[in-house]
Every structure is written in C-alpha cells, then in structure tokens.
Amino acid sequence: MRNVKVIFMGTPDFSVPVLEGLIEHYDVVGVVSQPDRKVGRKQEVVFSPVKKVALQHNILVFQPEKIRVEYADILDLHPDIIVTCAYGQIIPKEILDYPKYGCINVHASLLPKLRGGAPIHKAIIDGYHKTGITIMYMDEAMDSGDIISQRATDILDSDTTEDLHDRLSVMGKELLLDTLPSIIDGTAKRIKQDESKVTYAYNIKREEEYLDFSKTSLELFNQIRGLCPFPGSSCIIDDREFKVYASRIGTFDSSSYPAGEILHIYKDGIGIATGDFELVLLDIKPFGKKRMLASSFINGIRKEDYIGKVVYGRK
C-alpha cells in the first residue's frame, strides 16, 4: 500500500522490526524518535536504533524534546496514519486527531494487562505465564485505547527479558502488518478495554533491582530473569556489590535459616537461603569485573570463607 503515507514514532531496538516492516510495505514519510543522548565517560552522542534505520533509508527524522508542543513539522507531512511503538513520550491530542486512519500503537502486552513502559520486564517479574502484543487505537491516557488485535505467546521458565523482548519485537511487526489492511479499509474491530482487569508496568526503578532474600525462591528467580540483561538484579556479597543475571531454584529447604545466608558453594553456583527453597546464583558480575559464570568466581575463592556469610539486597 505505497499510497498510504505513514509516520512512525519509536526509539529503542524493540521498535526496529516494526519500522522495517512498515518501510517494506508502506510509504513511510517521516520518523519521530527521542532526542540524541550523550552516553559513557566520553559523553559521545548516540543515535537511537530507530533513527539509525530511518537514516539508512533516507527518511526524514524528527526528534522533539517535547512533542506536546513541537509537532507542527510532523503534521506538515500530512500522514494518513501514525504508528507508534515504544516511542517514550505522551502523544498530544492534536496529533492523535489528525490522521484519517488514526494513531495506532504496538504495545508489548495483552492489554489491559501491563499498561506502561516496562511490560516485558514486569510480565516475567510478576510471574505471568503468558503475554503478547496488542495493536490498539491511541487516546490521551496511557495505553487505554480500544484494542484492534492481539497475539499471545507463552512465557517459558527459561525466558529472560532479552528472550521475550526479541520474540515480541518480531511478533509486533507481524501482527501490525496483518492488522493494518483492516484499519485502512475500515473493517478493524474496536474493543473497549475492561478497566476492572487493568494492571500496570511502570518503568523499573533502582530499588526494584535489589534482591530481598526473605522473598520466595520463585519470586527471586523471576526477578532475576525479568531484569536480565538490563538493568540486572543486585545484591551485596562480602561487602561487594554483585549483579546477578541467572539462577536456579534448589531442592534444599532453607526456610529455617536466616534469609540471605550462604548455605552451600556448588560447582555451578552460590546457594543462598530464601523464604522457602535455596536459590543458587549462576551468572554474576562482581563490582569492577566482567560478567562471568558463578563457577568461574568460585574457582577463585576459598569456599569456607563464604559459607555462613549473609547476602544483602543493598548496603
């Protein structure tokens, strides 16, 4: 449908397959992404993944600091439809009301579950067994518009946020391309969200990274998977901060031991007491060092120096 003019709004890696699918099938006349940011010690300017793709295809890029007041140039392109996916700013009513086919959002959850900016992280952290992609009409509230289509995927015990992110990113592209024809020809469904079933997935806060070993082993296992690879879970071992990226739930009942006590040093990891079963840390990053398998760390320590120490979530 090369005669349909599309503006795409998105920023991170998750959005890239969606943009690439639109470029392949539609006339993408402009891309809106978050402003360039300076990162690292050298404060080098880094383009967003979406901006990089747009420039590769010679598509105009807009990067307003505040889109609620800086939108005139975007609408001057006279889009027929606007598609957003993980853009990062609230879209003003002036934009929402402009395109004849509406403003469409690709959201990484089965709405009304997990509205907000971290639906992939929270789906795993909160122990969901299923999640998916929702294509929806946008309105002024966060992720509350009418649902057009959805597609589900199971969350496996082996899934990390990275795994689920990559799977949902491709699903988002596929479902959007399957859904757009019905939006354009006027046959798309509009399903109101059930407000009684709403849950939220706000952006991850620093304090949510800390491991509280008074929780159950399953809660901690899910937290570690849900924060892998970014930002990673955190704990303090022997007065050193560690990032934790993988664990397994042991069979040893540790509920009678102080939460956080190191009970065993196994070949593959560090066994720590939780509110029920022992949790074994498998993939870690000691402060100031590279990420490594716990087995490598264990090979460099005296096991007896660690047995009985207490691991804390924070100092």
Side-chain angles (χ1 to χ4, degrees):
M1 297 186 182
R2 292 294 178 186
N3 59 329
V4 176
K5 295 165 64 177
V6 178
I7 284 179
F8 179 75
M9 298 182 176
T11 300
D13 285 322
F14 184 83
S15 312
V16 167
V18 177
L19 173 57
E20 290 175 336
L22 288 170
I23 291 170
E24 185 177 353
H25 296 279
Y26 294 86
D27 181 15
V28 180
V29 295
V31 163
V32 184
S33 194
Q34 290 280 58
D36 300 332
R37 302 300 183 195
K38 294 180 179 180
V39 299
R41 294 179 182 177
K42 296 182 179 179
Q43 289 292 283
E44 295 177 336
V45 175
V46 175
F47 294 171
S48 75
V50 162
K51 179 178 178 178
K52 291 176 182 177
V53 172
L55 293 177
Q56 289 169 5
H57 291 271
N58 298 313
I59 299 171
L60 284 172
V61 177
F62 302 90
Q63 297 179 274
E65 284 285 351
K66 297 179 180 179
I67 196 171
R68 68 177 183 270
V69 294
E70 302 173 64
Y71 56 80
D73 290 343
I74 297 169
L75 297 187
D76 282 347
L77 294 178
H78 305 295
D80 297 312
I81 190 169
I82 293 175
V83 177
T84 73
C85 179
Y87 168 51
Q89 294 190 48
I90 299 297
I91 309 301
K93 190 173 188 300
E94 290 82 357
I95 291 180
L96 296 177
D97 290 345
Y98 185 90
K100 64 180 178 181
Y101 299 128
C103 286
I104 309 301
N105 184 40
V106 181
H107 184 74
S109 81
L110 297 175
L111 292 171
K113 301 293 186 184
L114 301 172
R115 292 179 181 176
I120 301 175
H121 293 82
K122 290 296 181 69
I124 296 177
I125 292 170
D126 292 347
Y128 281 60
H129 297 293
K130 190 180 293 291
T131 189
I133 291 290
T134 298
I135 309 297
M136 55 177 286
Y137 286 106
M138 297 182 68
D139 61 19
E140 292 181 84
M142 182 179 67
D143 300 328
S144 62
D146 293 348
I147 294 168
I148 306 169
S149 61
Q150 294 184 315
R151 187 166 294 168
T153 184
D154 292 331
I155 300 176
L156 309 175
D157 287 344
S158 58
D159 278 335
T160 63
T161 284
E162 182 175 36
D163 299 324
L164 195 55
H165 169 283
D166 293 350
R167 193 155 77 243
L168 289 174
S169 182
V170 175
M171 283 180 60
K173 167 188 172 180
E174 294 171 347
L175 183 59
L176 176 68
L177 294 179
D178 288 347
T179 304
L180 278 174
S182 68
I183 295 171
I184 293 166
D185 69 20
T187 62
K189 297 178 181 178
R190 295 191 74 124
I191 303 168
K192 294 288 183 184
Q193 294 191 39
D194 185 342
E195 294 294 324
S196 69
K197 296 181 179 179
V198 171
T199 63
Y200 290 96
Y202 297 115
N203 290 337
I204 301 296
K205 298 178 181 178
R206 172 62 174 159
E207 53 265 30
E208 294 179 86
E209 299 173 25
Y210 301 120
L211 294 169
D212 177 358
F213 289 95
S214 67
K215 293 181 177 180
T216 67
S217 53
L218 180 58
E219 288 175 311
L220 293 164
F221 175 74
N222 288 340
Q223 179 182 349
I224 291 166
R225 292 190 301 128
L227 297 178
C228 177
F230 180 81
S233 301
S234 296
C235 64
I236 306 297
I237 302 176
D238 199 25
D239 293 327
R240 299 169 64 192
E241 182 170 350
F242 282 67
K243 287 287 190 181
V244 182
Y245 300 99
S247 66
R248 63 175 171 84
I249 298 173
T251 57
F252 185 80
D253 185 346
S254 65
S255 58
S256 61
Y257 292 83
E261 182 175 338
I262 297 177
L263 303 178
H264 301 99
I265 301 293
Y266 298 100
K267 289 183 178 180
D268 65 338
I270 303 167
I272 301 173
T274 75
D276 53 13
F277 293 98
E278 185 179 53
L279 188 76
V280 183
L281 309 186
L282 303 175
D283 186 342
I284 60 177
K285 181 185 180 300
F287 181 78
K289 295 184 178 294
K290 294 182 179 180
R291 180 174 167 180
M292 65 181 72
L293 294 177
S295 57
S296 297
F297 176 79
I298 288 164
N299 289 336
I301 65 171
R302 285 173 20 113
K303 297 178 183 179
E304 57 269 27
D305 290 344
Y306 281 80
I307 298 293
K309 287 184 180 292
V310 176
V311 180
Y312 299 95
R314 68 176 89 183
K315 292 182 179 179

